[in-house]
Coordinates of all heavy atoms in Angstrom, one line a residue:
D68 N 9.7 -11.5 -19.2 CA 9.6 -12.9 -19.6 C 8.1 -13.4 -19.4 O 7.9 -14.5 -19.7 CB 10.5 -13.8 -18.9 CG 12.0 -13.5 -19.2 OD1 12.2 -13.0 -20.3 OD2 12.9 -13.9 -18.4
L69 N 7.3 -12.5 -18.9 CA 5.9 -12.9 -18.7 C 5.0 -12.9 -20.0 O 3.9 -13.3 -20.0 CB 5.3 -12.0 -17.6 CG 3.9 -12.4 -17.0 CD1 4.0 -13.7 -16.3 CD2 3.5 -11.3 -16.1
K70 N 5.6 -12.3 -21.0 CA 4.9 -12.0 -22.2 C 3.9 -13.1 -22.7 O 2.7 -12.9 -22.9 CB 5.9 -11.7 -23.4 CG 5.3 -10.9 -24.5 CD 4.9 -9.5 -24.0 CE 4.6 -8.6 -25.2 NZ 3.9 -7.5 -24.8
Q71 N 4.4 -14.4 -22.8 CA 3.5 -15.4 -23.3 C 2.5 -15.9 -22.3 O 1.6 -16.7 -22.6 CB 4.4 -16.6 -23.8 CG 5.1 -17.4 -22.8 CD 6.1 -18.4 -23.4 OE1 7.0 -18.0 -24.0 NE2 5.8 -19.6 -23.1
F72 N 2.6 -15.4 -21.0 CA 1.7 -15.9 -20.0 C 0.9 -14.7 -19.4 O 0.4 -14.8 -18.3 CB 2.5 -16.5 -18.8 CG 3.4 -17.7 -19.3 CD1 4.7 -17.6 -19.4 CD2 2.8 -18.9 -19.6 CE1 5.5 -18.6 -19.8 CE2 3.5 -20.0 -20.0 CZ 4.9 -19.8 -20.1
E73 N 0.8 -13.6 -20.2 CA 0.0 -12.5 -19.7 C -1.4 -12.8 -19.4 O -2.1 -12.2 -18.5 CB 0.2 -11.3 -20.7 CG 1.5 -10.7 -20.6 CD 1.7 -9.6 -21.6 OE1 0.9 -9.5 -22.6 OE2 2.6 -8.7 -21.4
D74 N -2.0 -13.7 -20.2 CA -3.4 -14.1 -20.0 C -3.5 -15.2 -18.9 O -2.8 -16.2 -19.0 CB -3.9 -14.7 -21.3 CG -5.4 -15.0 -21.3 OD1 -6.0 -15.2 -20.2 OD2 -6.0 -15.2 -22.4
L75 N -4.3 -15.0 -17.9 CA -4.5 -16.0 -16.8 C -4.9 -17.3 -17.3 O -4.7 -18.3 -16.6 CB -5.4 -15.4 -15.8 CG -4.9 -14.4 -14.8 CD1 -6.0 -13.8 -14.0 CD2 -3.8 -15.0 -13.9
S76 N -5.6 -17.4 -18.4 CA -6.1 -18.7 -18.9 C -5.0 -19.6 -19.4 O -5.2 -20.8 -19.6 CB -7.2 -18.5 -20.0 OG -6.6 -17.9 -21.1
V77 N -3.8 -19.0 -19.6 CA -2.7 -19.8 -20.1 C -1.9 -20.3 -18.9 O -1.4 -19.5 -18.1 CB -1.7 -18.9 -21.0 CG1 -0.5 -19.7 -21.4 CG2 -2.5 -18.3 -22.2
P78 N -1.9 -21.6 -18.7 CA -1.1 -22.2 -17.6 C 0.4 -21.9 -17.7 O 0.9 -21.8 -18.8 CB -1.4 -23.7 -17.7 CG -2.5 -23.9 -18.6 CD -2.5 -22.7 -19.5
M79 N 1.0 -21.7 -16.6 CA 2.4 -21.4 -16.5 C 3.2 -22.6 -16.0 O 2.7 -23.3 -15.2 CB 2.7 -20.2 -15.6 CG 2.6 -18.9 -16.2 SD 3.2 -17.6 -15.1 CE 4.9 -17.9 -15.2
D80 N 4.4 -22.8 -16.6 CA 5.3 -23.8 -16.0 C 5.8 -23.3 -14.7 O 6.5 -22.2 -14.8 CB 6.4 -24.1 -17.1 CG 7.3 -25.2 -16.6 OD1 7.3 -25.5 -15.4 OD2 8.1 -25.7 -17.4
Y81 N 5.5 -23.9 -13.6 CA 5.9 -23.4 -12.3 C 7.4 -23.3 -12.2 O 7.9 -22.5 -11.4 CB 5.3 -24.2 -11.2 CG 5.9 -25.6 -11.1 CD1 7.1 -25.9 -10.4 CD2 5.3 -26.7 -11.7 CE1 7.6 -27.1 -10.3 CE2 5.8 -27.9 -11.6 CZ 7.0 -28.2 -10.9 OH 7.5 -29.4 -10.8
R82 N 8.2 -24.0 -13.0 CA 9.6 -23.9 -13.0 C 10.2 -22.5 -13.4 O 11.3 -22.2 -13.2 CB 10.3 -25.0 -13.8 CG 10.0 -26.4 -13.2 CD 10.5 -27.5 -14.0 NE 9.6 -27.5 -15.3 CZ 9.6 -28.4 -16.2 NH1 10.3 -29.5 -16.0 NH2 8.8 -28.3 -17.2

Side-chain angles (χ1 to χ4, degrees):
D68 293 339
L69 191 64
K70 200 69 169 160
Q71 69 189 66
F72 302 107
E73 288 179 338
D74 183 345
L75 281 171
S76 66
V77 177
M79 276 189 70
D80 181 343
Y81 68 87
R82 293 172 294 193

